[in-house]
Structure formats: structure tokens, C-alpha cells
Amino acid sequence: MNTVPATASVVIVGAGPAGMTAGIALADAGVNVVLLDKLAEGANTSRAVVVHARTLEVLKEFGVTEQLLEHGIVVPNFVMHDGDRALAHISFAGLPTEYPYTVMIGQESTEAILLARLEKAGGQVYRHTEVTAVTQDADGVTVEYTDADGTANSIRADWVIGADGMHSVVREAEGIGFTGSTYPESFVLADVRMTWPDPRDEVSLHLSPEGVTVVAPLPDPQPNRYRIVATVADAPEHQDLAYVQALVDARRPGAHVEVQEIIWSSRFRVHHRVADHYRAGRLLLAGDAAHVHSPAGGQGMNTGIQDAALLGRLLAAVVAGAPAATLDEYETTRRPVALGVVKFTDRVTRMATLRPLPARLVRNLIISTVARIPAFRRTLAYQLSELGNR
């Protein structure tokens, strides 16, 4: 295992997609950047699987979008259902982008592509390195950590980026508020092999009083691999085949779906929160350390990658001699985006889980009516693709 250096210009805490994107932007600019991550290895499961059009545009600047397309599956359609009835068909075709679609690709593949690009640029990830404290002063930041053997050490940096998730040590070091709350429901996430009636060029959102359900195709040599994300009142710790089968049958009745294998599954609670500030002196936040929200729309990782690309460029300019006030653009640009994403995903989640029958009938009538309007379909596709974040 490589030894963490004693100093760096920038330390990034967290080597997920956001952390590595920031690292690439900095390393490309010649900045001495070090990434620390407590995990022994990167993602080895699919986790976040959606890469939207705006993120593909951003990652094109780093030369990795073609690899994402090569390893992923292109999905240009989004369909909203209530039971066995399709309420709205949304197409990304015609959007003002080189990438009028979503790409489905496992997070393990996305991270592998980003890691290779980071290392090509000269960046380094030090794993099994858990940051325990972050202290800044007028001249820099001291980052304390423990290695795989539990040995305590530290690294000194000019700047620190916290890309270390919802329970960010960097954010908590300065007491930055993380305003929001937690959904009462739990979420089930499962990658499965199953028969599914819809084409593999569409993601489907299923409305149900029991919870919202998203089903999306995943790349695989066998064309029967899918991602299921569903809200449930109280998910069991382990989701077996019978549980997932019953879940799909309830959310898509009459579809004659057969769940054949569970490849990987998990349960989790979802928060909708945004950091009160994205910067405190020499400390900056990106990705889930700055914002978390419902997975409806698949926008979490995308927003984080876009955060990190801008932050990396701005911080590189400051390291090169630009005024520190240059970094103000980061919060003023990206925090409103996060607030908008949280508001949108929260609205979708709550709308999808309406329980009283009269309210559901009105909801369905409204959706099916406005979905006939081309301008509405285009606006929704534009919002999902995050092209408004340019």
C-alpha cells in the first residue's frame, strides 16, 4: 500500500464519482491533489446507475463519455404508470444536446472509468484511510486519518474538498448545517434478472399508494437484467426472491412478471437535505456531503459529478493565483441546483404515493391530460436530463 504524503495542495476526502471528478479537474490543471477514502476498494455493486445528458456533456470534457456509452445501455424514454395503465410517455429525443437519452451503467463501472482517468492525469487514491478530523487555520488545513492498521497520521493541505457522503466529516468539522428531513418510508434497491413486458429502451416509474417504484434496464450480456427501486413502509433487512416478486406483482399488476434471480439488493432510508453552505474558509463540499434526496429521477450522482467538475475548475484557478473569492461562484451556481433537485424529487415521491382514491384519480387525470401537451413532455424531459444546469 502506498504511503500518504505529508502535504498536498488539495486533499479530497471521498473517492466516489464526485470526489474523482473533482480530482480529475484538478490533476488536469497540474494541481497536486490527493484523494483519501476509508473503503478498501471502490464500488463493487451497481448502486447509482443513471447518467443523464448533462452529466454526459460534463464528462465529455474529460474524455470519458465514450467509455460510459460503450459499457452502458442507452435509454431514450421514460414512462409513468399507475398499475397496468401508462399515464405518460416522455422521450428525450429532440433535446438540445449531443446525448438525447439517459445511459444506464453500474456505479462500479462508472467509478472504474473515472479512476483510470484520474490516474492517467496523475491523481492518486489512498484507500483504507479513514479521515477522523479536519482542522483549518489561516495557513492551511490539517487532515487527520487512520490507516488500515489503525495507525494515526495526518496530511497538511491548502484546501480540502469533502466528497465524503451524507455523514461528511468535513462538513461536520465546521458545523455546517444540513437542513432537511428523512422520509418515513424505507427504500428497497435490487438488481434482478426477470421477465419484463416493457422495451429495454425505457425507464418506468410506477405510482402506487404503497410506494413509488422505478424499474430500469441494466447492461448485461443477457437482456433480462433490471434495477428496481421501491419505497415500502418497512423493508426487511434481507430481500429474498419471494419478497421482490410480491413487490413487483403489487406495483405492476397484470404484467405477468417473473423474478428469476436477485443479483444484489439493499435497503436504506432516504433523506432530503441540502448543506446550508458549500464553503467554510478552506473547506468545500461536493456530492452527497452537500445534498441528498429521493432517488426518484436518478439525479443524485449526476448532480454530484456536475458539482465536482465546476468546483475542480474553480479551485484549480485559485491554486494558480486567482482570488479566493473566485470560489464564491461555486455555491451561488450549484446550491440552487441542489435545492431545485430536492424540491423536484420530493414532489415526485409524494405525488407518487398518494393514498386516498379520489386524490389518485385526480392525479392520474391531470398527468394523462398534461402529458398530451408536447411542451409539458419536453419540459419534463429537460428537467430530468438536467440540461438546465448548464
Side-chain angles (χ1 to χ4, degrees), residues 57-380:
E57 291 179 343
V58 167
L59 292 178
K60 181 184 179 181
E61 300 172 18
F62 300 128
V64 300
T65 293
E66 288 304 314
Q67 290 175 270
L68 294 172
L69 293 172
E70 179 183 347
H71 291 88
I73 177 172
V74 169
V75 179
N77 298 298
F78 177 82
V79 182
M80 195 176 298
H81 297 261
D82 184 5
D84 59 356
R85 179 189 175 196
L87 300 176
H89 294 259
I90 308 299
S91 172
F92 296 110
L95 288 176
T97 176
E98 184 180 351
Y99 310 105
Y101 42 73
T102 282
V103 172
M104 305 300 300
I105 179 171
Q107 186 172 329
E108 77 282 11
S109 298
T110 300
E111 288 195 11
I113 291 168
L114 290 172
L115 177 61
R117 177 64 176 80
L118 173 69
E119 292 176 340
K120 181 179 179 181
Q124 177 72 50
V125 176
Y126 295 88
R127 295 201 171 275
H128 233 317
T129 304
E130 183 171 4
V131 172
T132 56
V134 180
T135 308
Q136 66 173 317
D137 53 51
D139 300 319
V141 186
T142 300
V143 179
E144 299 176 44
Y145 64 88
T146 56
D147 60 22
D149 299 324
T151 303
N153 212 323
S154 67
I155 177 173
R156 184 75 173 166
D158 298 318
W159 301 89
V160 169
I161 296 175
D164 49 340
M166 187 179 73
H167 303 290
S168 170
V169 174
V170 177
R171 188 188 65 243
E172 294 174 358
E174 283 297 313
I176 298 173
F178 204 33
T179 302
S181 58
T182 306
Y183 288 105
E185 305 88 358
S186 55
F187 280 69
V188 167
L189 184 155
D191 288 356
V192 305
R193 298 195 190 281
M194 68 178 179
T195 59
W196 186 246
D198 301 336
R200 281 179 61 80
D201 67 349
E202 68 181 45
V203 172
S204 56
L205 173 70
H206 302 264
L207 314 179
S208 164
E210 292 76 32
V212 61
T213 307
V214 176
V215 178
L218 292 179
D220 195 86
Q222 302 176 43
N224 65 343
R225 185 177 180 183
Y226 292 85
R227 156 64 56 85
I228 299 171
V229 181
T231 58
V232 296
D234 188 18
E237 183 177 356
H238 301 289
Q239 301 80 46
D240 59 18
L241 202 63
Y243 179 84
V244 176
Q245 180 71 62
L247 183 67
V248 175
D249 289 343
R251 305 294 173 89
R252 186 70 182 271
H256 305 294
V257 176
E258 181 188 357
V259 181
Q260 300 156 337
E261 178 188 359
I262 297 177
I263 301 169
W264 175 75
S265 69
S266 178
R267 68 168 182 179
F268 54 97
R269 293 281 177 181
V270 170
H271 303 249
H272 44 109
R273 302 178 184 274
V274 178
D276 294 346
H277 298 286
Y278 280 17
R279 177 189 173 199
R282 295 175 177 272
L283 308 183
L284 301 118
L285 304 176
D288 286 356
H291 47 76
V292 292
H293 49 80
S294 165
Q299 293 176 302
M301 181 181 70
N302 289 268
T303 307
I305 287 174
Q306 294 165 40
D307 288 344
L310 175 60
L311 175 56
R313 288 195 297 269
L314 293 174
L315 187 52
V318 171
V319 171
T326 300
L327 292 168
D328 294 345
E329 180 186 342
Y330 175 55
E331 180 170 325
T332 58
T333 299
R334 295 303 304 175
R335 191 168 183 274
V337 169
L339 290 170
V341 170
V342 168
K343 183 178 180 180
F344 171 68
T345 56
D346 183 58
R347 187 186 303 125
V348 170
T349 300
R350 296 187 186 283
M351 173 272 296
T353 54
L354 287 174
R355 291 186 177 274
L357 180 59
R360 289 161 47 205
L361 293 174
V362 171
R363 174 201 63 195
N364 291 355
L365 177 61
I366 292 173
I367 292 173
S368 59
T369 300
V370 299
R372 299 189 185 102
I373 303 171
F376 170 81
R377 297 197 302 270
R378 182 178 176 85
T379 298
L380 183 54

